[in-house]
Amino acid sequence: MYTRFKYTGHLEAMSELARFFLELGERWQRRWAEARVFEPEPEVGRPKYFITAAYPYPNGAIHIGHGRTYLIADVLARFYRHMGRISLFPMGFHYTGTPILTIAEAIASGDAAVAEEYMTIYGVPESEIKKMGNPLYLARYFHEQSKRAMQRFGLGIDWSREFTTIDPEYQRFIQWQFEKLRKKGLIVRGRHPVGWCPRHSMPVGAHDTKDDKEPDIGQWTLIYFADGEGLVFPAATLRPETVPGVTNMWINPEAEYVVAEYDGRRMVLSRDAARRLSFQGGVKVLREAKGREFVGRAVQNPVTGEWVPVYEARFVDPGVGTGVVMSVPAHAPYDYAALRDMGAVRLIPLIRVEGYGDYPAKEVVERMGIKSQTDPALEEATKEVYSAEYARGYMREDVAELVGGHLPEPARSMVRAVFKMYFAGRPVREAREFISKWLVESGLGGVMYDIMNKPVYCRCGTEIVVKVLEDQWFINYGESRWKELARELVGAMSIIPPEAKPHFYATIDWLDKRACARTRGLGTPLPWSGGWVIESLSDSTIYMAYYTVIKKIRHFGLKPEQLTEEFWDYVFLGVGTAEEVARRIGASPEALKAIREEFEYWYPLDSRNSGKDLIPNHLTFFIFNHVAIFPREKWPRQIVANGWVLREGEKMSKSKRNVLPLDRAVEMYGPDPLRATLAISAEVEQDLDFRDAEARRNAQQLMSIYNLAQRLAQGAEDRRPNWLDMWLVSEVALLLERAREAYEKVRVRQAAVEVLYNAKAVFDQYLAAVEKPSKLAVEAARAWAVAMEPIVPHLAEEVWSVLGGEGFAAKAPWPRLKAEPAALLAKRYVDMLVEDVKKIPAYGPGVKRVVVYVNSNFSWVKAALGGDVKAVINAGAPPQAAKRVVDLVKTLGDEVRSLVASAEGFNEVEALSSYRGYVEKALGAPVEVYLADDPEAPDLGGKKRAALPLKPGIYIEK
């Protein structure tokens, strides 16, 4: 029985502003669709811009986190359209894998919590929920809901190329991709550890888990300590090189343990460890026991032969490793602190590291003032010691003498000789690799895999474990030559933000074999082995190429069975001829040529946009698969990895009921205010905190832009441009240049600030200074509309239309306004004048007038730019004035000096005349202007001779 939830919608939350922007959006979206603005066709001779963003799983409605990623892609597609390129931004839907299936199964089983969640968060009617036990029904429902949200959000997507990953044509494409990888030897079958869902008995990756958390599979080295009865205590460690320094073992006395048969031995394991190990090999539990049963025993170190005691320690976590821990107090702060509390410290030095003494753990614990084993600072101490020893540490030369003390001669000498050669004096990382391998090969240890970032949960709620699979299909990302090519591409491509590039290199380094097929879920059958389905992060790596051709495949009516390996080889790789392939598949050569030409025009991909959380999986797989299949000239050119979206300072999660679906957000704020907020709240690489108050402020700002455009349209007069008009155009030209640079560098926030706030401030200043705007101001505002179009396209279209722009703003070329240095200098000059007047002590209430004496010798200022007094004298300045002019120029800012250098000439009197109203309003007093060298002008206060170029003499009358 489902709990009834009345979905009231969000009409109550919709302000009048939101209604206005919703209506504006619907109007322009309808016109774009009618004109097919975003369905580009190749144009020979014109450059293209092909961008994609990660397609969504329709296991729920997309939210504002998706919206941010798609917005960044949309902004770039729109910007490059203005720059004269043919922009393509397509979208599909990812049905493959378990995300959809898991939700459908939960609903079908009558899970009331999931049903309520979907009704509450996504607004699904109860009548629809009941149908969502069918996974395809659920997928199609959210597919359509998400598509509507993208459309209402104003994304300029080419929907004529839309597909799902279970379309038969797509499945033929994926099968071709996998055949290419298999024939190159990059898909193998064998034994390998994988993240595993015990409930569904299948391997899992990030997209199969709650919160899309990638299971981090790590490897413990097991070291077999044994007591006098042959009972093995397998210590699980990440630092096997420290085993010669073991002084005792730790076991949790209160935890549940078992004695079990594993690896041909009777072992003591925590009950949880026995369960986890059972997925990696045969575990037979013989009996259960409390940990306290084993405390007090003595066990033999298999490397040194020394007998060491087993101590109790409640800090041992039975869910980590085997629940049996070896203690190395000289190099492990936790061990040192615990043994110090017991009064049983014995230290065996093993590692030399610059900056530390013989016992780094003891030294750091004491330096940090750590008083007991419960001090939280031990975590920091451990990180310091482990990091320093791994990065800069060397094994001591005498460490080999600790080895093999229990062995008879000549075995003892032989073992020590091996350790002297491969262990003693070696860097820690080399010693670790050697001893781990030696322990396993000598039968003194083993390997255990574990989820190092546990807990990780399958979408079904089961905790993920590591299973060692036999006869599983893997993509072998560990292949060395393949890694080299992947690194080559990362080095050649643009990655935004640049600091993400090392993360790609690191991922390439650690990636190894990865399960690529499973026996459950929606998806493409593995072409050469029945019963297997290709998993979701393996079928989504080169689908960007599929976007380029699916439209033409449909246009020519090709059937899935015609899309053979030969077809894809010809279309994507140019193998064979159109005539040969057409004859074999029963199609026309013209159709095949047209499909290949479409691919050739759009590829390579110019930008791939996704969240930064996909760097460790999808985005790196995208790199690997492209270099494996396509020639270098078709390798992708850029990756943009954006940060997450928070809501009111908190991470969005279903459990907190604070997920904001994109369609609801559009209705709450309107598409353009929502777009503006997602653009302006953070730069691309930063996490974005979405705040309701900021969204509403942005809506008000956009409304003020709309009103400003109306005022310009209704009040502009056709007159000769004055300094103010030319300043406006020049200021907008500078602003457009800054915005262009920001768009090109994918600094979307910076671009948004320029076009939504800085530009508005410039127009506000202009309108405050003129009685009526000029037609030149209308031209500048049309240019502004084009610059803001990538971020707020509906408002931009409205402004463009109101101001007489032809066609769509979305298709207008980037404006070519010219900045006039003299016009910009005039505005900077009058602002400096106003500032100088206000600094004079006589200025204040009761001022009757301000008299300004202008020295019009602009050539003196230009001559002074080099700092040479003689040059100023040569320009005509009296010697006593020349030094003052040089000193004046030194006080000018870089921008003003640059404008002085660029301006051909500058008339201060004309500038002040044009800006008289602006200056008088700023000063609250009438202003009179005289030439300082006019003998007829009154010399009030002797200010005539004080005047310098760009620094008038000023007299204030009260």
Side-chain angles (χ1 to χ4, degrees):
M1 187 71 181
Y2 297 114
T3 303
R4 180 172 294 278
F5 177 84
K6 187 172 190 286
Y7 181 65
T8 59
H10 19 269
L11 294 176
E12 302 87 350
M14 287 173 55
S15 65
E16 289 303 314
L17 278 178
R19 291 177 190 276
F20 171 82
F21 285 111
L22 274 168
E23 291 172 3
L24 190 69
E26 288 167 0
R27 180 163 70 251
W28 286 106
Q29 289 158 18
R30 185 167 56 251
R31 294 181 186 179
W32 291 334
E34 290 168 354
R36 298 180 180 272
V37 170
F38 305 119
E39 296 182 21
E41 295 292 339
E43 292 185 29
V44 177
R46 282 193 65 183
K48 56 83 184 178
Y49 187 77
F50 178 28
I51 187 168
T52 65
Y55 49 22
Y57 286 106
N59 62 322
I62 59 172
H63 52 68
I64 56 174
H66 297 91
R68 184 190 190 193
T69 297
Y70 300 156
L71 174 66
I72 294 167
D74 192 48
V75 165
L76 294 177
R78 289 175 180 273
F79 167 70
Y80 282 107
R81 188 177 293 111
H82 294 309
M83 299 305 291
R85 294 165 75 168
I86 309 295
S87 283
L88 172 60
F89 176 26
M91 184 59 65
F93 290 87
H94 201 185
Y95 282 36
T96 306
T98 60
I100 294 164
L101 196 59
T102 303
I103 296 298
E105 287 176 345
I107 291 173
S109 69
D111 190 324
V114 172
E116 172 110 6
E117 185 178 275
Y118 271 60
M119 289 188 287
T120 303
I121 295 174
Y122 300 129
V124 181
E126 186 173 3
S127 59
E128 292 293 331
I129 280 285
K130 292 177 179 178
K131 303 173 187 175
M132 288 183 176
N134 179 331
L136 281 179
Y137 186 89
L138 181 146
R140 288 175 181 138
Y141 180 94
F142 286 115
H143 173 156
E144 291 305 317
Q145 181 174 338
S146 296
K147 179 178 177 179
R148 285 193 303 273
M150 292 184 215
Q151 291 170 327
R152 298 188 73 201
F153 188 47
L155 299 177
I157 289 171
D158 181 357
W159 291 107
S160 69
R161 299 171 189 269
E162 176 187 2
F163 65 86
T164 80
T165 58
I166 60 169
D167 292 349
E169 297 89 349
Y170 186 82
Q171 292 184 335
R172 298 306 295 267
F173 160 71
I174 293 299
Q175 288 178 329
W176 168 79
Q177 173 191 352
F178 267 66
E179 285 288 7
K180 303 307 289 184
L181 294 176
R182 185 174 70 91
K183 289 176 180 177
K184 289 175 180 284
L186 300 175
I187 293 183
V188 296
R189 195 172 195 178
R191 186 175 190 272
H192 198 70
V194 298
W196 183 260
C197 173
R199 178 181 174 187
H200 290 122
S201 297
M202 69 170 198
V204 296
H207 287 194
D208 306 304
T209 66
K210 289 187 175 181
D211 299 321
D212 292 332
K213 191 174 178 181
E214 179 74 33
D216 178 11
I217 299 176
Q219 178 177 305
W220 297 98
T221 297
L222 301 185
I223 305 178
Y224 296 158
F225 292 76
D227 68 8
E229 300 172 3
L231 185 61
V232 173
F233 290 69
T237 181
L238 298 174
R239 304 191 68 200
E241 75 281 2
T242 65
V243 67
V246 169
T247 64
N248 64 281
M249 306 293 285
W250 301 112
I251 274 186
N252 189 326
E254 303 303 323
E256 300 292 335
Y257 285 78
V258 299
V259 174
E261 287 184 358
Y262 179 74
D263 196 19
R265 297 166 171 83
R266 285 188 311 121
M267 293 189 179
V268 176
L269 301 164
S270 72
R271 189 164 64 183
D272 183 75
R275 183 187 68 87
R276 285 179 281 118
L277 270 173
S278 69
F279 293 96
Q280 300 172 32
V283 174
K284 181 181 179 182
V285 174
L286 303 176
R287 66 183 180 87
E288 296 185 350
K290 282 285 189 182
R292 68 174 66 91
E293 176 185 325
F294 307 105
V295 172
R297 297 197 184 193
V299 294
Q300 188 177 36
N301 186 325
V303 175
T304 66
E306 182 180 4
W307 288 84
V308 296
V310 178
Y311 292 152
E312 69 174 56
R314 286 171 174 77
F315 60 73
V316 171
D317 185 347
V320 175
T322 58
V324 178
V325 178
M326 67 185 200
S327 172
V328 188
H331 301 280
Y334 273 104
D335 294 338
Y336 174 77
L339 289 167
R340 186 182 63 179
D341 289 352
M342 296 170 58
V345 175
R346 183 166 70 94
L347 302 173
I348 302 173
L350 303 172
I351 297 168
R352 291 183 291 101
V353 59
E354 185 179 350
Y356 297 86
D358 287 341
Y359 312 117
K362 176 178 184 291
E363 181 179 326
V364 173
V365 166
E366 293 178 353
R367 168 164 43 87
M368 295 178 68
I370 293 170
K371 302 302 182 185
S372 75
Q373 62 186 297
T374 60
D375 193 325
L378 277 169
E379 187 66 29
E380 183 183 344
T382 299
K383 287 179 181 177
E384 179 184 333
V385 173
Y386 285 12
S387 175
E389 291 185 344
Y390 184 73
R392 309 191 309 275
Y394 287 81
M395 305 307 299
R396 293 168 59 105
E397 296 291 346
D398 58 357
V399 74
E401 299 304 316
L402 300 173
V403 176
H406 58 309
L407 298 177
E409 291 291 1
R412 180 190 309 164
S413 296
M414 292 173 62
V415 169
R416 288 181 177 177
V418 171
F419 270 74
K420 283 179 181 178
M421 182 174 296
Y422 297 107
F423 190 73
R426 295 280 182 170
V428 166
R429 63 184 67 199
E430 290 183 18
R432 181 175 301 176
E433 185 177 344
F434 158 76
I435 198 166
S436 181
K437 185 177 180 182
W438 180 82
L439 284 164
V440 174
E441 291 179 350
S442 302
L444 302 177
V447 169
M448 176 184 184
Y449 300 100
D450 210 348
I451 304 295
M452 308 310 280
N453 57 338
K454 65 172 64 173
V456 179
Y457 296 98
C458 177
R459 288 179 183 269
C460 71
T462 305
E463 185 171 358
I464 300 305
V465 297
V466 178
K467 183 175 177 63
V468 175
L469 286 183
E470 308 284 351
D471 294 328
Q472 167 70 32
W473 292 104
F474 300 95
I475 297 181
N476 185 16
Y477 289 121
E479 203 278 326
S480 59
R481 174 57 184 151
W482 200 7
K483 284 182 182 287
E484 288 178 19
L485 291 174
R487 290 189 194 98
E488 181 183 336
L489 174 53
V490 170
M493 73 193 317
S494 168
I495 291 181
I496 309 294
E499 53 267 27
K501 189 165 281 198
H503 297 298
F504 280 94
Y505 284 126
T507 302
I508 290 169
D509 286 343
W510 65 253
L511 271 179
D512 196 11
K513 297 182 181 68
R514 188 179 190 282
C516 62
R518 55 176 56 134
T519 56
R520 178 178 180 272
L522 304 175
T524 299
L526 199 63
W528 61 82
S529 184
W532 294 93
V533 176
I534 296 169
E535 69 90 32
S536 61
L537 277 172
S538 298
D539 79 344
S540 57
T541 58
I542 62 166
Y543 68 88
M544 310 80 200
Y546 184 79
Y547 280 129
T548 68
V549 297
I550 183 54
K551 184 175 180 178
K552 281 285 195 291
I553 288 173
R554 291 171 181 154
H555 173 77
F556 290 111
L558 295 184
K559 296 178 174 58
E561 56 269 23
Q562 293 176 284
L563 308 182
T564 63
E565 186 174 357
E566 289 176 301
F567 168 83
W568 297 112
D569 279 350
Y570 170 73
V571 168
F572 289 140
L573 304 177
V575 175
T577 67
E579 289 74 17
E580 292 170 354
V581 177
R583 185 175 64 256
R584 291 195 179 106
I585 70 171
S588 74
E590 291 70 29
L592 295 192
K593 288 177 183 177
I595 294 170
R596 169 137 177 92
E597 286 169 3
E598 186 92 359
F599 168 74
E600 282 284 292
Y601 182 80
W602 293 115
Y603 239 58
L605 182 69
D606 292 284
S607 187
R608 175 63 176 169
N609 290 49
S610 196
K612 64 183 180 182
D613 54 310
L614 296 187
I615 292 174
N617 44 68
H618 162 73
L619 287 173
T620 306
F621 302 160
F622 157 80
I623 289 168
F624 267 99
N625 281 265
H626 269 84
V627 301
I629 291 174
F630 295 104
R632 280 177 173 78
E633 63 271 17
K634 298 300 183 187
W635 289 1
R637 293 170 172 164
Q638 177 174 276
I639 287 175
V640 178
N642 58 265
W644 292 295
V645 174
L646 310 176
R647 187 179 180 193
E648 305 294 341
E650 290 191 326
K651 182 180 179 181
M652 287 192 295
S653 70
K654 292 176 183 176
S655 62
K656 293 180 180 178
R657 293 292 199 267
N658 68 343
V659 175
L660 182 56
L662 186 62
D663 59 347
R664 188 181 302 184
V666 169
E667 288 199 31
M668 288 172 65
Y669 305 107
D672 280 349
L674 178 59
R675 290 173 65 107
T677 304
L678 290 172
I680 211 167
S681 297
E683 207 52 90
V684 168
E685 70 276 10
Q686 299 168 330
D687 291 343
L688 183 153
D689 186 6
F690 186 88
R691 301 254 173 189
D692 173 81
E694 186 170 357
R696 295 186 182 281
R697 280 196 299 273
N698 287 325
Q700 292 169 352
Q701 178 73 4
L702 299 190
M703 194 68 202
S704 68
I705 292 173
Y706 173 81
N707 291 333
L708 188 151
Q710 295 287 341
R711 179 180 172 187
L712 286 174
Q714 294 164 11
E717 61 181 5
D718 193 2
R719 57 172 165 76
R720 183 172 176 270
N722 59 27
W723 280 100
L724 272 164
D725 301 325
M726 291 186 292
W727 164 75
L728 174 68
V729 171
S730 298
E731 203 71 74
V732 172
L734 290 181
L735 190 143
L736 291 180
E737 181 61 19
R738 293 196 300 271
R740 182 189 63 77
E741 290 180 359
Y743 283 130
E744 287 179 343
K745 293 176 181 177
V746 200
R747 311 308 290 166
V748 173
R749 181 184 184 278
Q750 181 183 340
V753 169
E754 294 288 359
V755 301
L756 301 183
Y757 280 86
N758 294 349
K760 171 65 166 46
V762 168
F763 275 91
D764 285 344
Q765 282 190 57
Y766 170 79
L767 291 174
V770 297
E771 291 185 10
K772 280 194 172 184
S774 73
K775 294 293 184 182
L776 202 59
V778 171
E779 181 183 333
R782 281 201 297 267
W784 177 24
V786 175
M788 75 173 81
E789 191 273 340
I791 294 169
V792 287
H794 313 95
L795 176 62
E797 293 287 6
E798 191 71 12
V799 170
W800 176 261
S801 177
V802 163
L803 297 178
E806 295 183 3
F808 290 101
K811 301 185 79 171
W814 189 258
R816 295 182 178 276
L817 297 185
K818 183 180 179 183
E820 295 290 346
L824 291 166
L825 183 59
K827 180 63 165 55
R828 307 298 184 268
Y829 167 72
V830 297
D831 285 339
M832 288 190 298
L833 173 63
V834 168
E835 186 178 342
D836 286 345
V837 171
K838 290 183 175 180
K839 288 178 181 177
I840 297 172
Y843 176 76
V847 173
K848 293 181 179 179
R849 65 170 173 162
V850 177
V851 180
V852 177
Y853 295 98
V854 172
N855 184 326
S856 59
N857 293 290
F858 182 65
S859 60
W860 297 0
V861 181
K862 288 182 76 73
L865 289 171
D868 186 353
V869 175
K870 288 184 179 179
V872 183
I873 294 173
N874 292 336
Q880 64 272 23
K883 177 66 166 59
R884 291 172 58 212
V885 173
V886 170
D887 291 341
L888 166 66
V889 169
K890 289 178 181 178
T891 68
L892 301 176
D894 291 342
E895 185 199 24
V896 173
R897 284 197 295 270
S898 175
L899 292 173
V900 169
S902 302
E904 293 295 326
F906 179 60
N907 188 316
E908 292 184 39
V909 173
E910 188 177 328
L912 284 170
S913 176
S914 289
Y915 279 95
R916 182 185 297 274
Y918 173 80
V919 174
E920 289 182 340
K921 185 175 181 181
L923 296 177
V927 174
E928 294 179 10
V929 179
Y930 297 99
L931 284 170
D933 59 0
D934 181 358
E936 301 298 321
D939 189 5
L940 301 175
K943 297 299 181 180
K944 272 188 172 184
R945 57 184 175 277
L948 293 175
L950 297 188
K951 192 78 170 177
I954 302 168
Y955 175 77
I956 296 176
E957 182 180 324
K958 299 192 79 169

